[in-house]
């Protein structure tokens, strides 16, 4: 997630996405300055395997179009590999085979795109409310031919009952307590939320434990991934959900949406007939 979302404290909060798109400056010609990119570290080949070339191209896009569009700060370009792309990609170590993942407030595609590159077996949804960001994400997905990635424009709280995944992740979106309020309701039973955090991980977790329990969490911890692969490992707050992720209200909304979907798929008059039979018993 980029710095603008971190500053607002909420993905796209109090921003008119369409107005922002209208005032954006025209694109400069695509002339990648590859000299500003440090040579890809050896760890990149280990992490991305046969998708290494796609990871290099993604990093180039972050350094060029990502900077021009304000999704990545210019000062971040020399450390894109270590601090951003690889830092996110090692999250793949924690994902079950064939799982589904939602990257909440995806911004420039971090951590969702590096994870999708490292784990082609995982189906990734990049959830982002701002139009200029989803436009960038869609362009990246097309250029890199990422068949396991879907871009979805919207806010997490709008997706409860519409989107359910095994894993929710986010980076630099909001403090843990607020992030859990948005992310936990999107989990399937026994799913997990993975929040990339730095030195504040333990303190944020300590401050959020009561709220996590109310949101249906049954286990939480701070773990490190990428040890032995990266010079500096990535710190992740891992929150595991129980039977009712997001709490009772979220479970009720999911059930309501499921009933509405079943009724919408029924033949005309079929749902009403079922209701009449129940009332007559």
């Amino acid at each position: 997630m980029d710095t603008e979302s971190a500053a607002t404290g909420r993905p796209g909060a109090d921003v008119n996405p369409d107005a922002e798109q209208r005032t954006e400056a025209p694109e400069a010609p695509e002339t990648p300055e590859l000299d500003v990119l440090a040579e890809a570290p050896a760890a990149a080949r280990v992490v991305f395997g046969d998708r290494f070339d796609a990871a290099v191209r993604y990093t180039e896009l972050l350094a060029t179009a990502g900077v021009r569009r304000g999704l990545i700060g210019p000062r971040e370009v020399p450390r894109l590999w270590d601090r951003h792309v690889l830092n996110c990609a090692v999250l793949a170590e924690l994902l079950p085979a064939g799982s589904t993942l939602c990257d909440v407030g995806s911004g420039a595609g971090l951590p969702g795109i590096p994870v999708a590159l490292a784990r082609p077996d995982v189906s990734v949804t990049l959830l982002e409310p701002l139009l200029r960001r989803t436009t960038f994400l869609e362009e990246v997905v097309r250029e890199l031919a990422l068949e396991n990635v879907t871009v979805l424009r919207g806010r997490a709280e709008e997706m409860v009952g519409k989107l359910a995944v095994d894993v929710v992740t986010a980076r630099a979106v909001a403090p843990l307590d607020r992030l859990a309020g948005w992310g936990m309701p999107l989990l399937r039973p026994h799913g997990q939320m993975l929040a990339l955090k730095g030195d504040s991980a333990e303190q944020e977790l300590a401050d959020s434990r009561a709220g996590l329990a109310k949101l249906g969490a049954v286990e939480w911890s701070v773990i490190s991934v990428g040890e032995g692969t990266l010079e500096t490992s990535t710190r992740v707050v891992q929150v595991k959900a129980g039977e009712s992720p997001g709490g009772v209200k979220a479970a009720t909304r999911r059930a309501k949406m499921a009933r509405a979907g079943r009724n919408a798929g029924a033949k005309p008059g079929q749902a009403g007939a079922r209701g009449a039979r129940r009332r007559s018993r």
Side-chain angles (χ1 to χ4, degrees):
M1 184 62 191
D2 55 274
T3 54
E4 183 178 340
S5 286
T8 61
R10 174 176 179 172
D14 303 320
V15 176
N16 182 329
D18 298 307
E20 186 181 72
Q21 178 72 6
R22 289 194 299 270
T23 58
E24 186 176 352
E27 280 278 331
E30 185 71 19
T31 54
E33 296 292 341
L34 300 186
D35 58 319
V36 301
L37 287 170
E39 183 178 352
R45 293 188 180 274
V46 175
V47 171
F48 294 110
D50 60 6
R51 284 189 163 186
F52 170 75
D53 290 342
V56 170
R57 180 58 184 148
Y58 174 56
T59 307
E60 292 171 357
L61 290 170
L62 290 177
T64 53
V67 171
R68 288 197 302 273
R69 298 186 191 188
L71 304 181
I72 293 291
R75 294 181 180 179
E76 296 302 308
V77 170
R79 49 189 181 183
L80 279 174
W81 277 112
D82 293 334
R83 185 169 179 175
H84 299 282
V85 177
L86 286 170
N87 178 270
C88 292
V90 292
L91 195 68
E93 296 176 14
L94 302 176
L95 305 180
S99 56
T100 56
L101 177 146
C102 179
D103 178 13
V104 173
S106 188
L110 299 165
I113 290 179
V115 168
L117 287 167
R119 288 289 301 275
D121 64 304
V122 173
S123 297
V124 175
T125 296
L126 307 177
L127 181 60
E128 169 57 50
L130 293 187
L131 179 59
R132 70 186 177 93
R133 295 174 185 166
T134 56
T135 298
F136 173 79
L137 293 173
E138 288 167 351
E139 292 170 0
V140 171
V141 168
R142 282 196 301 271
E143 177 156 348
L144 302 185
L146 296 177
E147 296 182 357
N148 61 323
V149 178
T150 299
V151 178
L152 183 60
R153 187 181 174 200
R155 291 186 171 88
E157 58 265 39
E158 301 168 345
M159 299 298 158
V160 180
K162 302 176 184 178
L163 178 67
V165 295
D166 301 312
V167 181
V168 165
T169 188
R171 179 177 186 254
V173 170
L176 184 62
D177 55 351
R178 269 187 285 167
L179 176 61
W182 300 330
M184 292 290 290
L186 301 181
L187 289 174
R188 291 173 176 156
H190 306 293
Q192 61 177 328
M193 184 179 74
L194 302 173
L196 280 75
K197 295 288 182 180
D199 295 337
S200 65
E202 281 86 0
Q203 187 59 54
E204 286 195 48
L205 183 56
D207 294 341
S208 305
R209 288 178 179 176
L212 291 174
K214 290 180 180 179
L215 288 167
V218 295
E219 186 179 338
W220 46 77
S221 60
V222 177
I223 57 179
S224 294
V225 290
E227 293 182 340
T229 302
L230 306 183
E231 290 186 11
T232 302
S233 60
T234 300
R235 294 167 62 76
V236 179
V237 176
Q238 183 181 49
V239 180
K240 296 183 178 180
E243 288 285 350
S244 183
V248 174
K249 289 183 179 179
T252 301
R253 288 177 66 184
R254 283 193 294 268
K256 183 177 179 181
M257 292 296 296
R259 286 195 299 270
R262 288 194 296 269
N263 289 339
K267 295 180 180 179
Q270 186 175 354
R274 286 199 299 266
R277 286 197 297 272
R278 284 196 297 268
R279 288 193 295 271
S280 65
R281 291 174 183 171

